[in-house]
Amino acid sequence: MNGSIQPQRMTPSEALVETMAANGVTEVFGIVGSAYMDALDIFPAAGIRFIPVAHEQGAAHMADGYARASGRHGVCIAQNGPGITNFVTAIAAAYWAHSPVVFITPETGSMSVGLGGFQETDQLPIFSKITKFQGHVNNPKRMAEIAARCFDRAMLEMGPVQLNIPRDYFYGECHAAIAQPMRIGRGPGDATALDAAAALLAAARFPVILAGGGVIMADGCDAAIRLAELLHAPVANSYLHNDTFPASHPLWCGPLGYQGSKAAMKLIAQADVVLALGTRLGPFGTLPQHGLDYWPSGAKIIQVDADAKVLGLVKPISVGIHGDARAAAVALAARLEGRELACIANKAERSQRITDEKAAWEKELADWTHERDPFSLEVAKHSRAMHPRQMLRELEKAMPGGAMVSTDIGNICSVSNSYLRFDQPRSMFAAMSFGNCGYAFPVACGAKIAAPHRPAIAYVGDGAWGISLNELLTCAREKIGVTVVVFNNGQWGAEKKNHVDFYSQRFQAVNLDSPSWAKVAQAFGCEGVTVDKLSDVGPALQAAVAAQADGRCTVLEMMVTQELGDPFRRDALSKPVRYLDKYQGYT
Ligand SMILES: Cc1ncc(C[n+]2csc(CCOP(=O)(O)OP(=O)(O)O)c2C)c(N)n1
Ligand SMILES: [Mg+2]
């Protein structure tokens, strides 16, 4: 650790690029710019591929997808000013996805700061709330030191880190040593807390494990499985982390949260002890669903997280463990092994309950071919398009092994949560709690570049597609073989659902008139296929995935009805109240 090579004379550009290479960086996403051209020039010699994108938001999302798929840093860079402000949305998304993204932000030259020259904006405050650390190179001689700190902090704190560099500081010379990456182990947490947690688990009659994203970040799926098997405890995935526990495992019961698994909800509702492993228990992820207010308020909650600040933040807890999810699971298993466990007495009965709840949910899903509210029945009545749920089922059935799926924000993407099951970690990359439309496609591109041999599939609504489709350019130019499934329901459906439920169907700005997305894809130099029959869904997906091997990107445009599943924010909307006369018709 910290085995630096001897200091030697180099330019700051060389110090930056050497630090990237020391951190194993092999790909950087961005749009070319004069601000950092001196460093870019030597990327190839350092073994770094620069991947030019269509929009800097795409670059930062790709860095996020790259980091989430690989567990390594995702890196992006852009021109000072507008190139950097284009990063903002994607960095906020990476922040809530806990992605170790290092985004390099050249800024206006140090001799003209404050003069309003060209492409100047104060680049640190903009990102101050969506970064784990901001390194500012205040002297070019410190480039190697500060760059290394940025890479270390992104891993230490699991989140985006900014490296801000006045553009004139790429030039000159310094006497620098290149630090080797410093990786600090977190360990299992406080021994007393682990003892207390083990005592609660040993006495539990119905323990349930909630496996969060921290399990993946800690490479802890094996440890979670071992602990679950020891307790014979059902395991729920935290919201949008369907890949934290293998879906083929008998103890898996699916995700909590919006459009999640009723089996998981009904089982956790019975828990007397919940082990929340590697999850911040975000407020959106445990909201009532399907009419079930399932969070077991009377249960003892053990929460394990690598970030001490989230322990007990959202839900009251009995025991908080500040530690690595994997190491904590191993330490808990060691404390429980060979010990008398109360829950073993009713193991058979709990086993039966798990099997029954899972079977009931499977049956319900199988029968739930379409939405049944009056609006949905009406719009689907005369449509020849596919029901979204049936289409999602066909995708699920045809999903290739080892697939990575990114999902966007929208009604159909949300419903897909019930139909996405994985046996391997680092497989699901949802837009998480920042919830920005336009997330899924560039994230899938980044994931594909990180894991070229795994199928990469993005689920995107037709509205969100309009935000992100420019990266088809990148796919065609750079031969990035991803598959995009665009759900064409001709509407910003998730928002339309609010008009239906709360605004007496006064539709405004929710209907979408779009060109053929298949033809648009072809015009970009990608493959484009329109699918309007259920029997074509699986074969189309398989053909598109096969084309990935040749670096070909395919857009599968799924023609679906306008029916709409449950809304996102029932919790946050109210029926309209109007006091002024002129608005009386708007209730
Ligand atoms: C960047 C951004 N803009 C707006 C929103 C608000 N929003 C949430 S869902 C949604 C509709 C998504 O429509 P579409 O992508 O067509 O998917 P559908 O709901 O129709 O399945 C919108 C506009 C958002 N989440 N992110
Ligand atoms: Mg739509």
Side-chain angles (χ1 to χ4, degrees), residues 506 577-587:
R506 285 191 299 279
V577 175
R578 315 290 175 202
Y579 292 119
L580 300 182
D581 282 349
K582 67 194 270 202
Y583 301 126
Q584 286 311 305
Y586 293 84
T587 55

Side-chain angles (χ1 to χ4, degrees), residues 5 87 107 137 184 200 215 299 330 344 420 431 497:
I5 59 165
F87 278 163
E107 74 167 14
V137 178
I184 307 292
L200 284 179
V215 172
V330 169
I344 296 308
L420 286 171
K497 179 67 174 160

Side-chain angles (χ1 to χ4, degrees), residues 69-243:
S70 66
R72 294 159 56 204
H73 294 102
V75 184
C76 55
I77 190 166
Q79 178 74 348
N80 55 296
I84 303 310
T85 52
N86 276 353
F87 278 163
V88 172
T89 297
I91 294 303
Y95 182 82
W96 290 109
H98 312 286
S99 279
V101 168
V102 176
F103 62 108
I104 304 173
T105 63
E107 74 167 14
T108 201
S110 63
M111 292 306 289
S112 61
V113 171
L115 301 183
F118 189 55
Q119 300 176 326
E120 177 172 6
T121 188
D122 201 351
Q123 293 180 176
L124 290 168
I126 294 172
F127 294 98
S128 63
K129 299 290 185 189
I130 46 176
T131 41
K132 295 291 189 180
F133 177 69
Q134 294 178 289
H136 173 70
V137 178
N138 67 329
N139 185 308
K141 295 189 166 42
R142 297 185 68 189
M143 179 76 91
E145 172 208 340
I146 293 168
R149 185 159 308 122
C150 287
F151 280 93
D152 290 344
R153 289 284 174 92
M155 285 299 172
L156 183 69
E157 301 207 33
M158 294 308 292
V161 165
Q162 179 176 10
L163 174 56
N164 198 55
I165 309 169
R167 52 182 295 168
D168 51 320
Y169 287 2
F170 286 89
Y171 305 103
E173 67 175 64
C174 51
H175 199 65
I178 303 301
Q180 287 306 303
M182 187 171 69
R183 297 288 171 265
I184 307 292
R186 291 187 179 86
D190 173 54
T192 314
L194 287 162
D195 288 344
L200 284 179
L201 287 168
R205 299 198 56 78
F206 203 104
V208 173
I209 296 176
L210 176 54
V215 172
I216 290 182
M217 290 165 209
D219 288 330
C221 290
D222 58 338
I225 293 170
R226 184 160 158 243
L227 193 55
E229 288 176 352
L230 199 61
L231 294 161
H232 200 72
V235 181
N237 307 111
S238 71
Y239 179 55
L240 297 179
H241 281 298
N242 300 11
D243 52 351

Side-chain angles (χ1 to χ4, degrees), residues 15 17 102 142 170 184 202 211 220 308 324 378 447 479 492 513 548:
V17 173
V102 176
R142 297 185 68 189
F170 286 89
I184 307 292
D324 173 83
E378 183 58 32
K479 305 208 179 336
W492 291 103
D513 229 343
Q548 292 190 11

Side-chain angles (χ1 to χ4, degrees), residues 412 461-464 487-494 512:
I412 300 174
D462 51 352
F487 305 132
N488 189 343
N489 59 2
Q491 57 190 2
W492 291 103
L512 293 169

